[in-house]
Amino acid sequence: MFNPSNRIIIVDDVENQLLDLAKAFLINGIACKTILYDQAYDDPLSGVRLAFFDITLTGKVIDLDLDVFDYKADRNLSSVFNDLAIGIQNCISSINGPYALVFWSKNTKVVPNFIEYVNERFPNLPSPILIGTLNKTDFIGKSSEEIKEKIDQIFVDKPVKLLFDFESKCEKAAINTVNEITRIIPNNFNGIKWSDYTVFDKNFDLVFSTIAKATLGNEHAKLNTDRAVYEALLPMMNHKILSDSVNKHDWEQHLKSISNPKLEYPQGFSHGILNSIFHLDISSKIESSTRGAVFEYNFRVPFFSKILFSLIPYFETIEKEMNRKFAKFISFSDKISQEDKEYIRGHSQFIVVEISASCDYSQNKSRNHKYVLGLITPMIDEKYLDTEIISQSVFYKELPVFNISNRSEFILNNENFQIWINFNYVVSSFSKDKNFGKPLFILKKEIIDMIGNRYANHVSRIGITSF
């Protein structure tokens, strides 16, 4: 689990102890970052996986002869806890991710009282997934195996160790991928000297340019070379991760529920956020030509229609048009209340989805119709739908529930939503349609492939004409 790539920090306010503890790791090939802490330190890190903290960070002393530790009655202890909580906050970012917190001190008896203190006074402190305690003197002068054994004791039977192992395997796979691909690039031939790497530079350019173009297509590779190279290398990394011979039964030992045929997510878990992590890209730059791009679509009445229907209020006309299109997606049953109906309509948003075939996109082929009309709605209980009336051109059942949090501009921020697609409505792409609104997100490859496959089945279905 522990190797030179692990993100380990050691925080102490006594320099000689800090360096001695760091050496115990470094001489055994385990990288770590030392932080000589004072009250002015404020540089929180993200991606920390193991954090060693001295409990007394500002020189204050704890009376260890006490039988009971109570920060509410002991002002000095409360002050020590306050300094420690602020120290953790200043060293570890709130978006750090999972980490193990180890109190490296002789004062470990006060840890339960410190946990109580944090729960009461610092509820937003970056929360560890486990807390351990170790004595500093146990590490000085110890061998590599002894150090690893003591640290591993903290993680015995702790499933989070599997996630840390996964990070290490990914790093190892990346290293092996780089080694394997560079090994085949011609470097030294026809009398070229050992120290002359100009041949390698030239051939590196040729090899990776060819790989990038073969992966993403000529035009897209030129416009987004980094992505083309990464997409080419990721399958290699994936293969190396899956073929890693590290204990293949670790996950089996910790996933006891996997044999339960009625398996469900735990209470409070957001299935929608999980699907969004797997299937939505909300961070990349979204262009109108991006495969899987999703844009708002706003119905507007053309200018000549406004004049023609000047006696009808403009917004009333828009509302009628939206209602007509809404009915092309959803048919409600008589079990739904008017209030629920109005909520769903009021919190829905028409969208368009870019549905280029993967091969067309990679070859940058021009297309007249590359967007399909869709609808985002709050989650609708199946019993409120008249499924017999809903058109077969509407695709929604196989699409997962989503949830985008921390996006206040999104109509369903932090609320589960579903996507509906109507394959009978496609939008021309002679130029970006004036009704396109702001970009929302990108549907990742697996979802857009599924939508594209269903669209192809829809347009190629056999029709029967009856008289």
Side-chain angles (χ1 to χ4, degrees):
M1 174 177 171
F2 293 97
N3 57 52
S5 298
N6 283 121
R7 301 176 184 88
I8 302 173
I9 64 170
I10 305 174
V11 184
D12 205 319
D13 63 329
V14 181
E15 186 172 14
N16 63 331
Q17 292 184 13
L18 181 68
L19 295 178
D20 285 342
L21 298 174
K23 287 177 184 177
F25 282 100
L26 294 174
I27 63 175
N28 290 289
I30 302 174
C32 61
K33 177 178 177 59
T34 58
I35 298 176
L36 183 60
Y37 187 79
D38 60 42
Q39 290 175 304
Y41 186 91
D42 185 11
D43 186 17
L45 303 171
S46 61
V48 173
R49 291 296 176 254
L50 181 58
F52 292 92
F53 272 80
D54 189 2
I55 290 178
T56 54
L57 281 180
T58 56
K60 296 170 185 173
V61 179
I62 297 175
D63 184 358
L64 297 179
D65 294 329
L66 295 174
D67 294 327
V68 178
F69 297 98
D70 183 2
Y71 67 87
K72 294 179 181 177
D74 186 339
R75 280 192 170 186
N76 179 65
L77 187 60
S78 178
S79 179
V80 170
F81 286 173
N82 183 73
D83 292 343
L84 177 56
I86 292 175
I88 295 173
Q89 182 176 272
N90 290 346
C91 293
I92 301 178
S93 167
S94 60
I95 59 171
N96 176 77
Y99 73 102
L101 177 59
V102 180
F103 291 113
W104 199 326
S105 174
K106 297 178 181 179
N107 305 322
T108 54
K109 291 187 294 184
V110 304
V111 170
N113 199 227
F114 174 69
I115 294 173
E116 182 183 338
Y117 175 87
V118 170
N119 284 326
E120 180 180 308
R121 311 234 181 136
F122 286 82
N124 296 321
L125 199 68
S127 180
I129 37 73
L130 65 92
I131 293 178
T133 58
L134 291 172
N135 196 311
K136 292 181 181 181
T137 57
D138 289 342
F139 282 76
I140 306 301
K142 302 296 182 181
S143 69
S144 173
E145 290 305 313
E146 289 175 311
I147 290 176
K148 289 181 180 179
E149 183 179 350
K150 286 184 177 294
I151 296 175
D152 281 339
Q153 288 174 0
I154 302 171
F155 296 92
V156 171
D157 296 327
K158 299 296 183 182
V160 74
K161 176 180 181 292
L162 300 174
L163 296 178
F164 295 166
D165 283 342
F166 175 71
E167 285 191 335
S168 297
K169 289 173 71 175
C170 287
E171 292 174 9
K172 179 181 175 183
I175 291 170
N176 290 336
T177 296
V178 169
N179 290 346
E180 190 167 322
I181 199 72
T182 54
R183 192 181 300 125
I184 64 172
I185 298 176
N187 181 26
N188 188 355
F189 59 95
N190 292 336
I192 300 296
K193 294 182 179 179
W194 172 76
S195 61
D196 189 348
Y197 46 82
T198 54
V199 172
F200 177 82
D201 288 351
K202 179 181 178 180
N203 290 335
F204 181 94
D205 175 16
L206 292 173
V207 169
F208 276 96
S209 293
T210 306
I211 289 173
K213 291 172 70 173
T215 301
L216 212 58
N218 291 345
E219 296 302 318
H220 290 293
K222 286 191 292 184
L223 294 173
N224 199 337
T225 307
D226 287 11
R227 178 177 175 179
V229 173
Y230 293 156
E231 284 200 14
L233 296 181
L234 282 176
M236 291 180 61
M237 280 190 59
N238 183 60
H239 172 73
K240 293 183 182 304
I241 292 170
L242 293 177
S243 61
D244 196 316
S245 60
V246 174
N247 188 351
K248 296 180 181 179
H249 301 292
D250 283 348
W251 286 89
E252 180 182 334
Q253 292 170 5
H254 287 285
L255 302 186
K256 304 298 184 185
S257 301
I258 203 164
S259 59
N260 181 0
K262 297 181 179 179
L263 189 63
E264 295 181 353
Y265 289 110
Q267 185 176 1
F269 180 84
S270 176
H271 188 192
I273 292 179
L274 176 67
N275 282 329
S276 297
I277 292 171
F278 271 88
H279 299 301
L280 301 186
D281 181 355
I282 60 175
S283 59
S284 298
K285 184 178 179 182
I286 305 175
E287 305 285 352
S288 59
S289 59
T290 303
R291 185 171 188 254
V294 177
F295 289 83
E296 287 183 347
Y297 194 77
N298 305 307
F299 287 97
R300 294 188 179 91
V301 178
F303 179 73
F304 70 88
S305 296
K306 283 192 248 180
I307 298 175
L308 184 62
F309 300 109
S310 58
L311 297 179
I312 303 175
Y314 173 48
F315 291 107
E316 182 181 337
T317 306
I318 294 177
E319 185 176 2
K320 287 181 179 179
E321 175 64 16
M322 292 180 68
N323 286 340
R324 281 195 292 269
K325 287 294 189 293
F326 189 94
K328 297 295 183 182
F329 286 84
I330 300 174
S331 297
F332 290 116
S333 70
D334 54 10
K335 294 180 181 179
I336 189 170
S337 67
Q338 185 62 31
E339 182 181 359
D340 287 338
K341 239 192 233 188
E342 290 176 0
Y343 178 83
I344 292 171
R345 287 180 181 272
H347 289 77
S348 297
Q349 171 66 57
F350 284 100
I351 57 173
V352 285
V353 182
E354 206 282 349
I355 56 167
S356 286
S358 182
C359 60
D360 288 345
Y361 178 76
S362 65
Q363 297 172 27
N364 204 30
K365 289 184 177 179
S366 60
R367 297 180 58 203
N368 287 341
H369 304 296
K370 59 190 299 184
Y371 304 95
V372 65
L373 187 66
L375 183 67
I376 288 175
T377 70
M379 286 301 300
I380 305 175
D381 194 312
E382 193 78 9
K383 67 183 179 183
Y384 294 144
L385 297 173
D386 191 337
T387 54
E388 305 228 347
I389 297 178
I390 294 177
S391 171
Q392 292 183 356
S393 66
V394 176
F395 177 54
Y396 71 97
K397 287 184 179 180
E398 291 85 354
L399 292 174
V401 53
F402 297 107
N403 189 310
I404 298 179
S405 58
N406 301 320
R407 287 276 297 272
S408 57
E409 77 280 7
F410 187 59
I411 191 170
L412 289 169
N413 175 47
N414 209 25
E415 183 177 345
N416 285 344
F417 66 89
Q418 60 188 120
I419 295 177
W420 306 65
I421 304 291
N422 192 323
F423 293 132
N424 283 344
Y425 292 90
V426 292
V427 180
S428 174
S429 62
F430 294 112
S431 62
K432 186 174 177 182
D433 194 291
K434 63 183 178 182
N435 292 355
F436 275 44
K438 63 188 175 193
L440 298 176
F441 46 80
I442 301 171
L443 291 170
K444 293 181 184 177
K445 184 179 186 303
E446 292 78 9
I447 295 294
I448 205 64
D449 283 350
M450 179 170 64
I451 293 174
N453 181 60
R454 294 305 177 93
Y455 176 70
N457 290 340
H458 175 74
V459 298
S460 62
R461 68 195 185 284
I462 299 173
I464 298 173
T465 302
S466 60
F467 297 96

